[in-house]
Amino acid sequence: MKNINNKKTHVDLRPNKYAWITTHYYLIAIFISFTYLFSDSIRVGVINATIMMFIVIDYLFKKFIGRNILINKTTLLIIMYLIYNLFSIFIGVINGYSISIGISEFSNGLLPIIFYFVGIEMDNYETSVFVKSFINSILFLVCVGVFMYFFQPSIYFSYMQRTIVNYYLGSYMAAPRMHSFTGSVVLGSLTCMALAFELSFLVYSKKLHRHIFLSTILLGSIILTMQRSAMVFGIANIILICIHTLKSKYISFKRIAMYSVIILVFIVIIFYLFPNLLEQLILRVSSMSNAINERNSNWNLVWKQGIETIGGSGLGTRGHRGMYISEITILDGNYFKMIYEIGLIGSILFINIILSVVTKGIKVYHSCVPYFSIVLGVLFQAIGSNTLGFQLVMPMFWFAIGRINFIYNSVKSTKHREEKNNEDFSNLFTTIPQG
């Protein structure tokens, strides 16, 4: 018995020499994406998917050896959702679509679910390293984007010609958006995620000048992407952190308001120096109300023919990869695309996951503000774009869900221990023999 215990202890405490791949995943993935600027022969998506697959295998191996798998309601729902999406690939094959379409969609939108499991098990130090690594990678992405936006080197035009449909290229050049090397939609999402963390650092960190500066850079970058959903996401981040400060003992609402004014002053200066940018922003904001109408042509198709089966038509069959193959393609609007592809079964599973996470997030809101902001922001963006299928966006989305689940369970177990201690303390007096 002694040998068994010693063996288990040895396995549990064994350091993981591959942990750096997980904690620095975003630095690796962003660098690999950066190489696409120079050559389109580099299969960025395949390489990043391979790295995630390695993280999956490493995680499963540790779970198999350690035998410490804990499954709660949210985790069970996610596993069921994952399994059904895998099954949905074969539904697509049965309907006559190539299996490569489903696999590609799975590697982009669902393989990142591994970061949910990473998120629920990371300790505070590992989480800190992961978040800082993420922010640094996004700052690099932003710096490259700002350089290309203002200086427009030849490599930038080459990249645009390779990644943007020729039909849109003229309008993009006439009213440029900041794309960096990921595209403006992905850049907007990632920048908003980084902003959520930087704003929370304003509350807890002592390096205020640094975080005010970085928050300003990130806000300015969100504006340069000219993505309406990203602008709303960024504003929501500010609102949620302001709500948090109302009950925070670390910083007053007055101070956070003062920091917000400083950031706004910097942004006003930018608009003063670049008046054309302000005109373009006003045009994009004024068209906000038309954003849904612009996508009605795709969404209406769903209501007419999309909900034709409970099981759906197959993962990825109605998105960009199914273009020119299927009669109906939904290019914008994740939820309607989801209903069409994985049917009511898969959609209900996803809705239950979100309801579970949002409920937990509300209950421990002041302990998980940045993660809660990220989840809500991405879910909002998915109304008008296929954000849930972006390979660079989804790892942080699922990681945030994992952290919310972890924080909720930690708070719940702490309360349980306190109640148990109080109960044991009171029982102490009732179990003492009376003399």
Side-chain angles (χ1 to χ4, degrees), residues 227-247:
Q227 288 295 330
R228 292 167 294 200
S229 63
M231 294 176 196
V232 175
F233 191 170
I235 293 171
N237 281 338
I238 296 172
I239 293 173
L240 289 172
I241 200 67
C242 286
I243 293 172
H244 173 59
T245 59
L246 294 175
K247 286 192 175 183

Side-chain angles (χ1 to χ4, degrees), residues 359-395:
T359 301
K360 290 177 179 179
I362 291 173
K363 289 180 180 179
V364 293
Y365 174 73
H366 292 287
S367 300
C368 65
V369 180
Y371 304 116
F372 193 66
S373 299
I374 287 170
V375 172
L376 291 186
V378 172
L379 291 174
F380 170 78
Q381 286 190 303
I383 296 173
S385 68
N386 292 334
T387 312
L388 299 179
F390 293 148
Q391 193 181 59
L392 282 174
V393 174
M394 295 315 292

Side-chain angles (χ1 to χ4, degrees), residues 133-205:
S133 178
F134 168 75
I135 293 173
N136 288 335
S137 64
I138 304 309
L139 289 174
F140 172 72
L141 176 65
V142 165
C143 287
V144 173
V146 170
F147 175 80
M148 292 199 299
Y149 180 87
F150 286 106
F151 295 97
Q152 298 184 348
S154 59
I155 194 172
Y156 174 69
F157 288 101
S158 174
Y159 164 78
M160 295 283 281
Q161 289 171 345
R162 285 188 281 115
T163 57
I164 296 180
V165 179
N166 289 333
Y167 177 80
Y168 295 105
L169 188 58
S171 61
Y172 270 78
M173 290 303 180
R177 304 178 185 182
M178 189 168 79
H179 293 271
S180 193
F181 48 85
T182 60
S184 60
V185 180
V186 173
L187 177 60
S189 298
L190 293 174
T191 307
C192 286
M193 290 175 168
L195 178 64
F197 288 116
E198 282 300 326
L199 290 175
S200 67
F201 291 154
L202 282 176
V203 178
Y204 298 104
S205 177

Side-chain angles (χ1 to χ4, degrees), residues 413-429:
S413 62
T414 301
K415 288 182 179 179
H416 176 74
R417 284 197 301 270
E418 290 174 353
E419 291 172 359
K420 187 70 170 63
N421 290 338
N422 291 335
E423 182 181 344
D424 292 343
F425 186 72
S426 61
N427 289 339
L428 179 65
F429 297 97

Side-chain angles (χ1 to χ4, degrees), residues 309-344:
T309 63
I310 295 176
S313 61
L315 184 66
T317 57
R318 306 303 181 183
H320 288 80
R321 292 166 188 81
M323 191 184 297
Y324 309 122
I325 301 175
S326 61
E327 295 179 359
I328 300 171
T329 304
I330 302 169
L331 302 180
D332 295 302
N334 249 130
Y335 302 120
F336 295 98
K337 177 175 174 288
M338 182 183 293
I339 293 172
Y340 203 115
E341 291 183 349
I342 59 177
L344 294 177

Side-chain angles (χ1 to χ4, degrees), residues 85-108 110 313-317 321-322 325:
N85 274 276
L86 280 170
F87 174 72
S88 180
I89 294 175
F90 296 99
I91 293 178
V93 173
I94 293 171
N95 288 330
Y97 294 92
S98 170
I99 193 172
S100 63
I101 293 175
I103 292 174
S104 179
E105 187 76 12
F106 187 89
S107 69
N108 286 346
L110 293 154
S313 61
L315 184 66
T317 57
R321 292 166 188 81
I325 301 175

